[in-house]
Amino acid sequence: MPAPRPVDPAELRRALQAVSAWLSGEAEQPARPELAAAVRLSLRTLAQDAPGRSVEVRVPPFAAVQCVEGPRHTRGTPPNVVETDPRTWLELATGRLEWTDAVREGRVTASGTRADLAHWLPIVRL
């Protein structure tokens, strides 16, 4: 399987800026395509920044990626899983929310010994 196309930093920044007012509470939720683009590009960037296949990060309904070096997972439910909603993920990705706060507040579920993404967040600050 070919490697995915690298994320263009300008494209990522545009996608995140399109949802920034919503994340700040200053606008209504963006249209689904804008929200999907911001989630997908930021998750792909995480996978680039933390290459590997030991952790699966899920942000339903938009995307899931595998990342972080370590034992490769090949079948069934991965032992290291992070799951959250789109808003929480984007708040984490843009530095509006700290990883430890999101986990403590139950906004992120993280299972497994490698499922701590604090080292790779935020992806970009807006």
Side-chain angles (χ1 to χ4, degrees):
M1 175 158 70
R5 176 179 62 89
V7 175
D8 174 1
E11 182 182 9
L12 171 64
R13 186 166 285 281
R14 280 191 304 274
L16 291 173
Q17 286 175 333
V19 300
S20 183
W22 172 62
L23 295 174
S24 298
E26 300 166 358
E28 296 294 316
Q29 182 171 324
R32 185 177 172 92
E34 291 175 326
L35 191 54
V39 169
R40 290 177 182 143
L41 287 169
S42 58
L43 280 173
R44 283 182 43 215
T45 301
L46 172 67
Q48 282 178 197
D49 293 349
R53 298 181 60 88
S54 69
V55 178
E56 185 166 292
V57 182
R58 302 171 181 168
V59 182
F62 298 116
V65 296
Q66 290 186 349
C67 57
V68 181
E69 285 186 38
R72 181 182 171 149
H73 167 73
T74 57
R75 296 186 67 195
T77 301
N80 300 285
V81 176
V82 172
E83 188 164 343
T84 191
D85 63 278
R87 182 183 193 109
T88 300
W89 169 250
L90 293 171
E91 288 175 353
L92 289 164
T94 59
R96 287 177 167 86
L97 178 63
E98 293 293 322
W99 174 261
T100 53
D101 294 336
V103 172
R104 186 183 66 247
E105 294 167 7
R107 296 178 63 187
V108 168
T109 57
S111 62
T113 58
R114 296 180 182 275
D116 182 344
L117 301 181
H119 177 74
W120 293 280
L121 297 170
I123 292 170
V124 65
R125 288 197 186 272
L126 294 181

Coordinates of all heavy atoms in Angstrom, one line a residue, residues 27-88:
A27 N -19.2 30.9 16.8 CA -19.9 30.6 15.6 C -20.6 29.3 15.8 O -20.3 28.5 16.6 CB -19.0 30.6 14.4
E28 N -21.6 29.1 14.9 CA -22.3 27.8 14.8 C -21.3 26.7 14.3 O -20.3 27.0 13.7 CB -23.5 27.9 13.9 CG -24.5 28.9 14.4 CD -25.2 28.4 15.7 OE1 -25.5 27.2 15.8 OE2 -25.4 29.3 16.6
Q29 N -21.7 25.5 14.5 CA -20.9 24.4 14.0 C -20.8 24.5 12.5 O -21.7 24.8 11.8 CB -21.6 23.0 14.3 CG -20.8 21.8 13.9 CD -21.4 20.5 14.4 OE1 -21.9 20.4 15.5 NE2 -21.3 19.5 13.6
P30 N -19.6 24.3 12.0 CA -19.4 24.4 10.6 C -20.1 23.3 9.8 O -20.5 22.3 10.4 CB -17.8 24.3 10.4 CG -17.4 23.7 11.7 CD -18.4 24.0 12.7
A31 N -20.1 23.5 8.5 CA -20.7 22.5 7.6 C -19.9 21.2 7.7 O -18.7 21.2 8.0 CB -20.8 23.0 6.2
R32 N -20.6 20.1 7.5 CA -19.9 18.8 7.6 C -18.6 18.6 6.8 O -17.6 18.1 7.3 CB -20.9 17.7 7.3 CG -20.4 16.3 7.5 CD -21.4 15.2 7.1 NE -20.9 13.9 7.1 CZ -20.9 13.1 8.2 NH1 -21.4 13.5 9.3 NH2 -20.3 11.9 8.1
P33 N -18.6 19.1 5.5 CA -17.3 19.0 4.8 C -16.2 19.8 5.4 O -15.0 19.3 5.4 CB -17.7 19.6 3.4 CG -19.2 19.4 3.3 CD -19.7 19.6 4.7
E34 N -16.4 20.9 6.0 CA -15.4 21.7 6.6 C -14.9 21.0 7.9 O -13.7 20.9 8.1 CB -15.9 23.1 7.0 CG -16.1 24.0 5.8 CD -16.7 25.3 6.3 OE1 -17.5 25.4 7.2 OE2 -16.4 26.3 5.6
L35 N -15.8 20.5 8.7 CA -15.5 19.7 9.9 C -14.7 18.5 9.5 O -13.6 18.2 10.1 CB -16.7 19.4 10.6 CG -16.6 18.9 12.0 CD1 -15.8 19.8 12.9 CD2 -18.0 18.7 12.7
A36 N -15.1 17.8 8.5 CA -14.4 16.5 8.1 C -13.0 16.8 7.6 O -12.1 16.1 8.0 CB -15.2 15.8 7.0
A37 N -12.8 17.9 6.9 CA -11.5 18.2 6.4 C -10.6 18.6 7.5 O -9.4 18.1 7.5 CB -11.6 19.4 5.4
A38 N -11.0 19.3 8.5 CA -10.2 19.7 9.6 C -9.8 18.5 10.4 O -8.6 18.3 10.8 CB -10.9 20.7 10.5
V39 N -10.7 17.6 10.7 CA -10.4 16.3 11.4 C -9.5 15.5 10.7 O -8.5 15.0 11.2 CB -11.7 15.6 11.8 CG1 -11.4 14.2 12.3 CG2 -12.6 16.4 12.8
R40 N -9.8 15.2 9.4 CA -9.0 14.3 8.6 C -7.5 14.8 8.4 O -6.6 14.0 8.6 CB -9.6 14.0 7.3 CG -10.9 13.2 7.4 CD -11.6 13.0 6.1 NE -12.8 12.2 6.3 CZ -13.9 12.4 5.7 NH1 -14.0 13.3 4.7 NH2 -15.0 11.6 6.0
L41 N -7.4 16.1 8.1 CA -6.0 16.6 7.9 C -5.2 16.6 9.2 O -4.0 16.3 9.2 CB -6.1 18.0 7.3 CG -6.5 18.0 5.8 CD1 -6.8 19.5 5.4 CD2 -5.4 17.5 4.9
S42 N -5.9 16.9 10.3 CA -5.1 17.0 11.6 C -4.8 15.6 12.0 O -3.7 15.3 12.5 CB -5.9 17.7 12.6 OG -7.2 17.2 12.8
L43 N -5.6 14.6 11.8 CA -5.3 13.2 12.1 C -4.2 12.7 11.2 O -3.2 12.0 11.7 CB -6.5 12.3 12.0 CG -7.5 12.3 13.1 CD1 -8.7 11.5 12.8 CD2 -6.8 11.8 14.4
R44 N -4.2 13.0 9.9 CA -3.1 12.6 9.1 C -1.8 13.2 9.5 O -0.7 12.6 9.4 CB -3.4 13.0 7.6 CG -4.4 12.0 7.0 CD -4.7 12.3 5.5 NE -3.6 12.6 4.7 CZ -3.6 13.5 3.7 NH1 -4.7 14.2 3.4 NH2 -2.5 13.8 3.0
T45 N -1.9 14.5 9.9 CA -0.7 15.1 10.4 C -0.1 14.4 11.7 O 1.1 14.2 11.8 CB -0.9 16.6 10.7 OG1 -1.4 17.2 9.5 CG2 0.3 17.3 11.2
L46 N -1.0 14.0 12.6 CA -0.6 13.3 13.7 C 0.1 12.0 13.3 O 1.2 11.7 13.8 CB -1.8 12.9 14.6 CG -1.5 11.9 15.8 CD1 -0.5 12.6 16.8 CD2 -2.7 11.5 16.4
A47 N -0.4 11.3 12.3 CA 0.2 10.1 11.8 C 1.6 10.3 11.2 O 2.5 9.5 11.3 CB -0.7 9.4 10.9
Q48 N 1.7 11.5 10.6 CA 3.1 11.9 10.0 C 4.0 12.2 11.2 O 5.2 11.8 11.1 CB 2.9 13.1 9.2 CG 2.4 12.9 7.8 CD 2.3 14.2 7.0 OE1 1.6 14.2 6.0 NE2 2.9 15.2 7.4
D49 N 3.6 12.9 12.2 CA 4.4 13.4 13.3 C 4.8 12.2 14.2 O 5.9 12.3 14.8 CB 3.7 14.5 14.1 CG 3.5 15.7 13.3 OD1 4.1 15.9 12.2 OD2 2.8 16.6 13.8
A50 N 3.9 11.2 14.3 CA 4.1 10.1 15.2 C 4.0 8.8 14.5 O 3.0 8.1 14.7 CB 3.2 10.2 16.4
P51 N 4.9 8.5 13.5 CA 4.7 7.4 12.7 C 4.8 6.1 13.5 O 5.5 6.0 14.5 CB 5.9 7.5 11.7 CG 6.9 8.3 12.4 CD 6.1 9.2 13.3
G52 N 4.0 5.1 13.0 CA 3.9 3.8 13.6 C 2.5 3.2 13.5 O 1.7 3.8 12.9
R53 N 2.3 2.1 14.2 CA 1.0 1.4 14.1 C 0.6 0.8 15.4 O -0.2 -0.1 15.4 CB 1.1 0.4 13.0 CG 1.4 1.0 11.6 CD 1.4 0.0 10.5 NE 0.1 -0.7 10.3 CZ -0.9 -0.3 9.6 NH1 -0.8 0.8 8.9 NH2 -2.0 -1.1 9.5
S54 N 1.1 1.4 16.5 CA 0.8 0.8 17.8 C -0.5 1.4 18.5 O -1.0 0.8 19.4 CB 2.0 0.8 18.7 OG 2.2 2.1 19.1
V55 N -0.9 2.6 18.0 CA -2.1 3.2 18.6 C -3.0 3.6 17.5 O -2.6 4.1 16.4 CB -1.6 4.5 19.3 CG1 -2.9 5.2 19.9 CG2 -0.6 4.2 20.4
E56 N -4.3 3.3 17.7 CA -5.3 3.7 16.8 C -6.1 4.9 17.4 O -6.6 4.8 18.5 CB -6.3 2.5 16.5 CG -7.3 2.9 15.4 CD -8.0 1.7 14.9 OE1 -7.4 0.9 14.2 OE2 -9.2 1.6 15.1
V57 N -6.1 6.0 16.6 CA -6.8 7.2 17.1 C -8.1 7.3 16.2 O -8.0 7.4 15.0 CB -6.0 8.4 16.9 CG1 -6.7 9.7 17.4 CG2 -4.7 8.3 17.7
R58 N -9.2 7.3 16.9 CA -10.5 7.3 16.2 C -11.3 8.6 16.5 O -11.5 8.9 17.7 CB -11.4 6.1 16.7 CG -10.8 4.8 16.5 CD -11.6 3.7 17.1 NE -11.0 2.4 16.9 CZ -11.3 1.3 17.6 NH1 -12.3 1.4 18.5 NH2 -10.7 0.1 17.4
V59 N -11.8 9.2 15.5 CA -12.6 10.4 15.7 C -13.9 10.2 14.7 O -13.9 10.7 13.6 CB -11.9 11.7 15.3 CG1 -12.8 12.9 15.5 CG2 -10.6 11.8 16.1
P60 N -14.8 9.4 15.3 CA -16.0 9.1 14.4 C -16.9 10.4 14.3 O -16.9 11.2 15.2 CB -16.7 8.0 15.2 CG -16.1 8.0 16.6 CD -14.8 8.7 16.5
P61 N -17.5 10.5 13.2 CA -17.6 9.6 12.1 C -16.6 9.9 10.9 O -16.8 9.3 9.8 CB -19.0 9.9 11.6 CG -19.2 11.3 11.7 CD -18.4 11.7 13.0
F62 N -15.6 10.7 11.2 CA -14.8 11.1 10.1 C -13.5 10.3 9.8 O -13.2 10.2 8.6 CB -14.4 12.6 10.4 CG -15.5 13.5 10.4 CD1 -15.9 14.2 11.6 CD2 -16.4 13.7 9.3 CE1 -17.0 15.0 11.6 CE2 -17.5 14.5 9.4 CZ -17.8 15.2 10.5
A63 N -12.8 9.8 10.7 CA -11.5 9.2 10.4 C -11.0 8.4 11.6 O -11.3 8.7 12.7 CB -10.5 10.2 9.9
A64 N -10.0 7.6 11.2 CA -9.2 6.9 12.2 C -7.8 6.7 11.6 O -7.7 6.5 10.4 CB -9.8 5.5 12.6
V65 N -6.8 6.8 12.4 CA -5.4 6.6 11.9 C -4.7 5.7 12.9 O -5.0 5.7 14.1 CB -4.6 7.9 11.8 CG1 -5.2 8.8 10.7 CG2 -4.5 8.7 13.1
Q66 N -3.6 5.1 12.4 CA -2.7 4.4 13.3 C -1.4 5.2 13.4 O -1.0 5.7 12.3 CB -2.5 3.0 12.8 CG -3.7 2.1 13.0 CD -3.5 0.7 12.6 OE1 -2.5 0.3 12.0 NE2 -4.5 -0.2 13.0
C67 N -0.9 5.2 14.6 CA 0.3 6.0 14.7 C 1.1 5.5 15.9 O 0.7 4.5 16.6 CB 0.0 7.5 14.9 SG -1.2 7.8 16.3
V68 N 2.2 6.1 16.3 CA 3.1 5.9 17.4 C 3.9 4.6 17.2 O 3.3 3.5 17.0 CB 2.3 5.9 18.7 CG1 3.3 5.6 19.9 CG2 1.5 7.2 19.0
E69 N 5.2 4.7 17.3 CA 6.1 3.6 17.2 C 5.8 2.5 18.3 O 5.3 2.9 19.4 CB 7.5 4.0 17.4 CG 8.0 4.7 16.1 CD 9.5 4.9 16.3 OE1 10.3 4.1 16.8 OE2 9.9 6.0 15.8
G70 N 6.0 1.3 18.0 CA 5.8 0.2 19.0 C 5.3 -1.0 18.2 O 5.4 -1.1 17.0
P71 N 4.9 -2.0 19.0 CA 4.4 -3.3 18.4 C 3.3 -3.0 17.4 O 2.4 -2.3 17.7 CB 4.0 -4.1 19.6 CG 4.6 -3.5 20.8 CD 4.8 -2.0 20.5
R72 N 3.4 -3.6 16.3 CA 2.4 -3.4 15.2 C 1.2 -4.2 15.5 O 1.3 -5.4 15.9 CB 3.0 -3.8 13.9 CG 2.0 -3.6 12.8 CD 2.6 -4.0 11.5 NE 1.5 -4.0 10.5 CZ 1.7 -3.7 9.2 NH1 2.9 -3.5 8.8 NH2 0.7 -3.8 8.4
H73 N 0.0 -3.6 15.4 CA -1.3 -4.3 15.6 C -1.8 -4.8 14.2 O -1.8 -4.0 13.3 CB -2.3 -3.4 16.2 CG -3.6 -3.9 16.2 ND1 -4.1 -5.0 16.9 CD2 -4.7 -3.6 15.4 CE1 -5.3 -5.2 16.7 NE2 -5.7 -4.4 15.7
T74 N -2.2 -6.0 14.1 CA -2.6 -6.5 12.8 C -4.1 -7.1 12.8 O -4.7 -7.1 11.7 CB -1.7 -7.7 12.3 OG1 -1.6 -8.7 13.3 CG2 -0.3 -7.1 12.1
R75 N -4.6 -7.6 13.9 CA -6.0 -8.2 13.8 C -6.8 -7.8 15.1 O -6.2 -7.7 16.2 CB -5.8 -9.7 13.8 CG -5.2 -10.2 12.5 CD -5.2 -11.7 12.4 NE -6.5 -12.1 12.2 CZ -7.0 -13.3 12.3 NH1 -6.1 -14.3 12.7 NH2 -8.2 -13.6 12.1
G76 N -8.1 -7.7 14.9 CA -9.0 -7.5 16.0 C -8.9 -6.1 16.6 O -8.4 -5.2 15.9
T77 N -9.3 -5.9 17.8 CA -9.3 -4.6 18.4 C -7.9 -4.3 18.9 O -7.3 -5.1 19.6 CB -10.2 -4.5 19.6 OG1 -11.6 -4.8 19.2 CG2 -10.2 -3.2 20.3
P78 N -7.3 -3.1 18.5 CA -6.0 -2.8 18.9 C -5.9 -2.7 20.4 O -6.8 -2.2 21.1 CB -5.7 -1.5 18.2 CG -6.8 -1.2 17.4 CD -8.0 -2.1 17.7
P79 N -4.7 -3.0 21.0 CA -4.6 -2.8 22.5 C -4.4 -1.4 22.9 O -4.7 -1.1 24.1 CB -3.3 -3.6 22.7 CG -2.5 -3.6 21.5 CD -3.6 -3.6 20.4
N80 N -4.1 -0.5 22.0 CA -4.0 0.9 22.3 C -4.9 1.7 21.5 O -4.7 1.9 20.3 CB -2.5 1.4 22.1 CG -1.5 0.6 22.9 OD1 -1.4 0.8 24.1 ND2 -0.8 -0.3 22.3
V81 N -5.9 2.3 22.1 CA -7.0 3.0 21.3 C -7.3 4.3 22.0 O -7.4 4.4 23.2 CB -8.3 2.2 21.2 CG1 -9.4 2.9 20.5 CG2 -8.0 0.8 20.5
V82 N -7.4 5.3 21.2 CA -7.8 6.7 21.6 C -9.1 7.0 20.8 O -9.1 6.8 19.6 CB -6.7 7.7 21.4 CG1 -7.3 9.1 21.7 CG2 -5.5 7.4 22.2
E83 N -10.1 7.4 21.5 CA -11.3 7.8 20.8 C -11.9 9.0 21.4 O -11.9 9.2 22.6 CB -12.4 6.7 20.8 CG -13.6 7.0 19.9 CD -14.4 5.7 19.6 OE1 -13.9 4.6 19.8 OE2 -15.5 5.9 19.2
T84 N -12.4 9.9 20.5 CA -13.0 11.2 21.0 C -13.9 11.7 19.9 O -13.9 11.2 18.8 CB -12.0 12.2 21.4 OG1 -12.6 13.3 22.0 CG2 -11.2 12.7 20.2
D85 N -14.7 12.7 20.2 CA -15.5 13.4 19.2 C -14.8 14.4 18.4 O -13.7 14.9 18.8 CB -16.7 14.0 20.0 CG -16.3 15.1 20.9 OD1 -15.8 14.8 22.0 OD2 -16.3 16.3 20.5
P86 N -15.3 14.9 17.3 CA -14.6 15.9 16.5 C -14.2 17.2 17.2 O -13.1 17.6 17.0 CB -15.6 16.1 15.3 CG -16.4 14.9 15.2 CD -16.6 14.4 16.6
R87 N -15.1 17.7 18.0 CA -14.8 19.0 18.6 C -13.6 18.8 19.6 O -12.7 19.6 19.6 CB -16.0 19.6 19.4 CG -15.7 20.9 20.0 CD -16.9 21.5 20.8 NE -16.6 22.8 21.1 CZ -17.2 23.9 20.5 NH1 -18.2 23.7 19.7 NH2 -16.8 25.1 20.8
T88 N -13.7 17.8 20.4 CA -12.6 17.6 21.4 C -11.3 17.3 20.7 O -10.3 17.9 21.0 CB -13.0 16.4 22.3 OG1 -14.2 16.7 23.0 CG2 -11.8 16.1 23.3

